[in-house]
């Protein structure tokens, strides 16, 4: 967490330089907000990215996004290995089997694997986007390459920063822009462990294939939430004259799919969220809060956490003492860990919402949308970010910082610190419900 703080501070200082904004020094809070948003791969912005920042400033933002996204993915992957090895060690002690700790060689291999996956996806996305902007729009090859690389890095890292003032609203009906960006967001949001399993799955014979619960939860919940978002956007915005209303059926389907992907959590938008129905904003709040996959570039409490919570509730309703899924039994520690992460996340979002309601004149749906987007490192907004006062911006900075680092470190700490009591107190059951 200290390293991430130092990284954000370095980005803040660089963005404060006159060279980052065409000779004009940027106020510290604006630089801090932008650096935090970029490093945490959120995408919220208090100034127009293309209008305020110079080429140097845009490069700093791009580097912050790349290092921030790669660093979080690598850190989360290594921590997940540490947790799994720690759990494996405890089981080995019980069964008498042998195990070993995580070696530096394994860490190096994991980091290189994350780097390889990142570069492959970003290069492919950059090639497609560059070719489209170069051949279909009035851009030189250099400008198209710059635009393509920037949006490729921003999409795979789930950042949502765009070089256009209206984000991607100008390309809402262009599938050669929106679909590659959506694919990049999904790819980055699945996480490195899932891509490793997908790779192994494609190389093994059918009878030898085996999916971990993590991969099943991530892929299953991602598909389910994409479907829920798609149907919700279509149903709620179909006749809205300020969003999907004027579009034909084919374009409505395209924009609904694109916007269902963005709460995964990337802040790109091809429609104006400020003009959307209140019901649509609430659905998006829930999708953003859940987020994407663990050990990836997405934020939120993660789809695996949400899946565990659903299974725990289902088991309790059925009166079952343990939670089963996919032919496996979930440990009690996993259930309590998921509950703790979700409750703390909910508490932070509500606390931030309360503060912003005090210091800003905006409505509850606008503020809740903003705070959820900040904590879940999404970057979607109804357009109020630039008008939030410095106190409110400081709250959003805190939520972005904690939302990027907090769930990862908290979940790992809970798993690694788990120990058994030497004694138990007398049992008593309070009335619940």
């Amino acid at each position: 967490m200290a390293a991430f703080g130092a990284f954000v501070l370095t980005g803040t200082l660089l963005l404060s330089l006159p060279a980052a904004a065409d000779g004009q020094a940027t106020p510290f809070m604006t630089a801090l907000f932008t650096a935090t948003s970029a490093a945490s791969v959120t995408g919220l912005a208090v100034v127009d990215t293309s209008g305020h920042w110079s080429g140097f400033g845009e490069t700093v933002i791009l580097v912050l996004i790349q290092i921030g996204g790669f660093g979080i993915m690598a850190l989360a992957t290594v921590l997940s290995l540490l947790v799994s090895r720690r759990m494996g060690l405890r089981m080995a002690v019980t069964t008498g089997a042998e195990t070993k700790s995580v070696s530096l060689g394994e860490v190096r291999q994991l980091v290189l694997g994350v780097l390889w996956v990142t570069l492959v996806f970003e290069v492919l996305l950059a090639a497609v986007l560059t070719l489209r902007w170069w051949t279909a729009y009035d851009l030189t090859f250099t400008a198209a390459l710059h635009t393509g690389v920037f949006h490729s890095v921003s999409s795979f890292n789930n950042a949502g920063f765009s070089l256009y003032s209206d984000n991607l609203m100008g390309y809402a009906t262009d599938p050669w822009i929106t679909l590659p960006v959506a694919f990049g967001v999904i790819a980055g949001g699945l996480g490195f462990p899932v891509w490793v399993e997908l790779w192994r799955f494609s190389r093994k014979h059918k009878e030898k294939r085996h999916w971990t619960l993590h991969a099943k939860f991530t892929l299953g919940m991602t598909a389910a939430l994409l479907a829920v978002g798609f149907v919700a956007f279509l149903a709620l915005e179909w006749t809205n004259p300020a969003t999907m209303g004027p579009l034909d059926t084919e374009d409505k389907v395209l924009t609904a799919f694109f916007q269902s992907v963005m709460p995964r959590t990337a802040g790109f938008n091809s429609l104006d969220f400020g003009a959307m129905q209140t019901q649509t904003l609430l659905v998006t709040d829930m999708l953003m809060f859940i987020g994407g996959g663990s050990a990836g570039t997405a934020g939120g409490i993660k789809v695996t956490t949400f899946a565990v919570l659903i299974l725990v509730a289902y088991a309790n309703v059925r009166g079952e003492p343990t939670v089963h899924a996919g032919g496996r039994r979930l440990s009690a520690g996993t259930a309590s860990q998921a509950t703790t992460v979700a409750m703390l996340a909910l508490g932070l979002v509500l606390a931030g919402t309360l503060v912003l309601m005090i210091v800003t004149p905006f409505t509850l749906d606008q503020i809740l949308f903003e705070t959820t987007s900040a904590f879940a490192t999404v970057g979607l907004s109804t357009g109020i970010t630039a008008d939030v006062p410095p106190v409110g911006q400081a709250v959003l900075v805190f939520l972005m910082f904690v939302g990027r680092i907090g769930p990862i470190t908290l979940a790992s700490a809970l798993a690694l610190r788990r120990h058994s009591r030497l004694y138990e107190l007398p049992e008593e059951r309070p009335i619940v419900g």
Side-chain angles (χ1 to χ4, degrees):
M1 188 171 290
F4 187 70
F7 178 57
V8 170
L9 181 59
T10 301
T12 301
L13 295 176
L14 290 174
L15 290 177
S16 298
L17 297 175
D22 291 327
Q24 297 180 351
T26 300
F28 177 79
M29 180 53 72
T30 300
L32 174 63
F33 190 99
T34 305
T36 306
S37 183
S40 63
V41 292
T42 301
L44 288 175
V46 291
V47 293
D48 180 20
T49 302
S50 61
H52 179 83
W53 304 108
S54 64
F56 173 73
E58 291 177 0
T59 302
V60 171
I61 292 173
L62 186 66
V63 172
L64 288 172
I65 293 172
Q66 183 68 87
I67 297 178
F70 170 76
I72 292 299
M73 185 184 290
L75 173 65
T77 302
V78 172
L79 285 176
S80 66
L81 178 62
L82 286 171
V83 171
S84 64
R85 283 298 173 84
R86 179 69 174 272
M87 299 302 106
L89 176 60
R90 288 174 181 167
M91 186 173 294
V93 170
T94 303
T95 61
E98 289 187 5
T99 187
K100 60 181 179 178
S101 60
V102 180
S103 66
L104 290 176
E106 287 178 303
V107 173
R108 178 176 178 272
Q109 186 178 7
L110 280 175
V111 173
L112 289 177
V114 172
L115 179 62
W116 174 250
V117 169
T118 300
L119 291 179
V120 167
F121 278 108
E122 290 182 353
V123 169
L124 291 175
L125 289 171
V128 174
L129 293 174
T130 298
L131 185 62
R132 182 61 176 176
W133 263 305
W134 183 37
T135 58
Y137 298 94
D138 190 20
L139 291 178
T140 63
F141 177 76
T142 302
L145 179 63
H146 174 67
T147 306
V149 169
F150 189 95
H151 287 83
S152 169
V153 173
S154 185
S155 62
F156 181 77
N157 288 283
N158 280 221
F161 275 95
S162 176
L163 295 179
Y164 295 97
S165 300
D166 60 353
N167 207 274
L168 295 181
M169 290 175 60
Y171 303 98
T173 59
D174 187 345
W176 289 99
I177 297 294
T178 56
L179 291 182
V181 169
F183 173 75
V185 171
I186 295 173
L190 288 179
F192 178 72
V194 173
W195 280 111
V196 170
E197 287 203 48
L198 288 171
W199 171 254
R200 291 174 177 172
F201 181 88
S202 66
R203 294 174 62 86
K204 290 185 177 181
H205 295 296
K206 186 176 181 180
E207 63 272 11
K208 296 183 179 179
R209 294 171 181 172
H210 172 70
W211 293 96
T212 63
L213 275 183
H214 172 76
K216 291 178 181 178
F217 286 169
T218 302
L219 293 172
M221 289 304 302
T222 296
L225 293 174
L226 285 175
V228 168
F230 174 72
V231 172
F233 275 103
L234 273 183
L236 298 174
E237 297 297 323
W238 185 275
T239 58
N240 187 344
T243 55
M244 289 187 187
L247 304 178
D248 58 32
T249 301
E250 186 176 306
D251 290 335
K252 286 179 180 179
V253 171
L254 176 63
T255 53
F257 172 74
F258 183 78
Q259 292 306 161
S260 72
V261 173
M262 292 309 115
R264 290 279 58 79
T265 51
F268 292 108
N269 65 284
S270 60
L271 298 173
D272 182 8
F273 272 87
M276 287 189 180
Q277 307 284 358
T278 302
Q279 301 92 319
T280 309
L281 296 182
L282 181 58
V283 171
T284 309
D285 287 337
M286 294 185 286
L287 294 174
M288 291 191 297
F289 186 77
I290 297 169
S294 301
T297 57
I301 63 171
K302 303 299 190 294
V303 291
T304 46
T305 303
F306 186 63
V308 170
L309 293 175
I310 292 176
L311 291 170
V312 169
Y314 180 72
N316 284 329
V317 169
R318 289 174 59 90
E320 297 176 351
T322 56
V323 182
H324 293 179
R328 295 289 187 272
R329 176 175 58 86
L330 270 63
S331 68
T334 300
S336 61
Q337 181 181 336
T339 304
T340 302
V341 170
M343 292 304 297
L344 289 178
L346 181 61
L348 284 170
V349 170
L350 293 179
T353 300
L354 178 61
V355 174
L356 260 66
M357 288 184 69
I358 295 173
V359 301
T360 68
F362 303 115
T363 61
L364 174 59
D365 56 338
Q366 292 175 308
I367 294 174
L368 181 61
F369 193 91
E370 197 80 7
T371 53
T372 305
S373 179
F375 174 80
T377 66
V378 181
L380 293 174
S381 175
T382 57
I384 68 172
T385 312
D387 298 320
V388 173
V391 174
Q393 291 180 14
V395 171
L396 295 177
V397 166
F398 174 76
L399 289 174
M400 288 188 288
F401 188 93
V402 175
R404 181 74 277 181
I405 295 295
I408 298 172
T409 54
L410 175 61
S412 301
L414 289 173
L416 292 172
R417 290 183 58 197
R418 188 162 298 280
H419 59 276
S420 57
R421 285 181 178 272
L422 298 178
Y423 62 92
E424 290 290 347
L425 297 173
E427 183 177 306
E428 182 177 348
R429 292 177 64 88
I431 299 176
V432 177

